[in-house]
Amino acid sequence: MKNLILPLVFLFCINIVGAQKKQQYPFQNPNLDVEKRIDNLLSLMTLEEKVAVLGTNPSVPRLGVVGTGHVEGLHGLALGGPAGWGGKGKKPITTTTFPQAYGLGETWDVDLIQKVAHVEGYEARYALQKYNRGGLVIRSPNADIARDPRWGRTEESYGEDAFFNGTMTVAFVKGLQGNHPKYWQSASLMKHFLANSNEDGRTYTSSDFDERLWREYYSVPFRMGIIEGGSRAYMASYNKVNGIPATVHPMLKDITQKEWGQNGIICTDGGAFKLLLSDHKYYPDSYLGAAAVIKAGINQFLDDYKEGVDGAISKGYLTEKDIDEVIRGNFRVMIKLGMLDVTADNPYAKIGTGKDTIDPWNSIAHKKLALEATQKSIVLLKNDPSKRLLPLQKEMLKTVAIIGLRADQVLLDWYSGTPPYMITPLQGIKNKLGSNVEILYAKNNADGKAASIAKKADFVIVVVGNHPVCNAGWNDCPVPSEGKEAVDRQSLTLEQEDLIKIAYQANPKTVVALISSFPYAINWTQENIPAIVHMAQNSQELGTALADVLFGDYNPAGRLTQTWVKDITDLPDLLDYNIRNGRTYMYFQGKPLYAFGHGLSYTSFRYNSIATNKENLEKDKTLTVSVSVSNTGKVDGEEVVQLYVKSIDSVVQQPIKALKAFQRVALKAGETKMVNLTLKAKDLEYWNTTKQQFELEKGQIEMQVGGASDAIQLTKKITLK
């Protein structure tokens, strides 16, 4: 009977989230100091209840405390999808589905990213408070850095640059959490701390690199997410960092808490507690392991932890005070979400509690934002100026051939939700062209069909790309160039490139749409195909956005966030975490297939001048860099103005160049704008290992401005003082 009553009480508590409740205890008083509220709550809890809130939902039913659990949300709230998020056996709730994080990164649009995250946070509130589904602690963004295109989870990252990823991370965190002075809309839980960018062996391998790379590269997006974005939650990674499993690493307390001010949730990755014994073989038993995890700062387990924690307490490895110390962070987050309040002052608590006539994911506004994000994510990789195939002129077309299995698919990944609808490339093109143009389709060249329809058509569009879940088991990707969580890529070669060759041989007026979660070494395609576009997977508006770009209703302005190499041999060993050994645009010495920041337009831009408001930059100060840019073409378009910094007379090792500011700017045909970029001294500091602090190295630097890392148009030198 007792086991029956508790779930009923808990359900009742969930149903009154956001409703007016009577204050019984001081911890329910929203005007009381946060730490005093938590002191009171802890004083009322039993040790058993304290151990229970080390799970992912810090609820205390006996005291009427209704916590909230975790949900996934890398590119839209996930309450369904291939992984069945939102509960086994439960009907999926459809939610707005945006391009993968990799595609969101390729927008280079900070304001857009914040809007996308705001929509996701709103839908999380709505789903919980209207349908009792999901939670408000959202496992997003992924602040990891995609240092190598073979990494199976490249799709989850914004790119290979620490400053860029950090800037996008801050925007996403702010969007999820909202701008209310007291409450959060939802809580951003960043993944995966730290240096987690190999899948094969991730449960036991060590990511090894020096202290400067720790401070200046791998940790930067997390630091920015906490200090600048306001995130107070993150997930520790599976791997070791310099020989110590991240789950028990001193960095959790010593740096993220004591230096950065992280005082909320730190959780394990799924099953990571048990992996300390089985894979890392770091502790002789689960009791010592559990004690070490909690003393390191972990306060939520995505694992079966209770036996280990109870055993650690009984053996004296852990005290109740140790438990109190860590679970305070869980309740700080719950207080920010308004979960412990008895008043109706939290505006977010009202979401979904009114007489809504339409769910937000079915609203025109959310559909429009999904389309905008997808349009902005598309990168024009090539458009041969001698042929200018793109944009296709639909009024000149009679027959179009669409080729490729991916043309009639919108593929979801492991962290996708279930979108309310999906528009495939084939459907998007049909919608665009209507009944006046004959559309021929072949998914492959079986019986020579692809070649046959290509010959008949005025133009050919070949749609190729990876399968985000490899259409296989959890740790299996039968196609060598495909990867996902738990599986790294074994090849950068696009197996479908032979299909492109067949189409091109039949009809040279061929356009390629590469829909992929990561880079490919498409050397033959780049050398021969007149026009190529790239976009990421997953968006519910994938087909509409692609058609808009192909037929000129949207001028593409996406930019690459990763170096696309020509060959897998251009890359160091996957487990070499020292990026100075030729990895990323900052240290790569070869000539890439496509450079970091690359992306073309249907118009052209001219960089006229560069000026600064002062000639030197001092510690803790900022400098305004004003760049005059003109749209010299005949159509409206957007340019992504990128500012890189090169050290001239540094005595410490520095990158070839490093991105330090950027802005996506809309320019009408013939228009000139002055674009003001802010260069911050703190973003130019290096970590002095002797003094154990960041320092601004005095001397000259060269600012480089242009449309890509390899397309610098203007330079100017300034002095750091």
Side-chain angles (χ1 to χ4, degrees), residues 224-245:
M224 292 174 68
I226 292 170
I227 296 176
E228 298 178 32
S231 170
R232 289 296 180 268
Y234 71 79
M235 178 185 292
S237 56
Y238 286 122
N239 54 286
K240 295 184 184 77
V241 176
N242 293 329
I244 303 173

Side-chain angles (χ1 to χ4, degrees), residues 52-175:
V53 302
L54 288 167
T56 57
N57 191 322
S59 295
V60 190
R62 182 179 63 86
L63 298 174
V65 174
V66 183
T68 180
H70 295 195
V71 286
E72 297 291 349
L74 290 176
H75 49 87
L77 179 65
L79 293 177
W85 301 110
K88 291 183 179 179
K90 291 185 178 180
K91 181 181 178 182
I93 290 181
T94 62
T95 51
T96 307
T97 302
F98 298 95
Q100 291 172 310
Y102 196 72
L104 292 175
E106 289 181 330
T107 68
W108 288 66
D109 192 324
V110 176
D111 293 337
L112 174 72
I113 297 303
Q114 190 163 338
K115 290 176 184 176
V116 166
H118 179 77
V119 159
E120 182 177 316
Y122 184 92
E123 292 188 2
R125 274 279 179 181
Y126 187 94
L128 179 67
Q129 293 171 179
K130 187 174 180 68
Y131 297 116
N132 291 340
R133 296 286 296 278
L136 299 181
V137 178
I138 302 180
R139 295 175 189 159
S140 185
N142 188 328
D144 293 316
I145 306 175
R147 66 185 173 93
D148 192 302
R150 290 169 293 189
W151 179 34
R153 299 180 81 168
T154 295
E155 65 194 30
E156 298 181 29
S157 172
Y158 295 125
E160 72 183 19
D161 182 82
F163 171 80
F164 178 84
N165 283 25
T167 302
M168 295 308 221
T169 292
V170 169
F172 207 92
V173 169
K174 287 183 175 180

Side-chain angles (χ1 to χ4, degrees), residues 26-46:
F27 72 78
Q28 296 170 311
N29 182 359
N31 298 316
L32 193 64
D33 175 77
V34 169
E35 298 307 312
K36 288 181 179 178
R37 295 178 72 181
I38 298 173
D39 286 341
N40 173 248
L41 176 56
L42 293 177
S43 73
L44 298 169
M45 293 172 64
T46 66

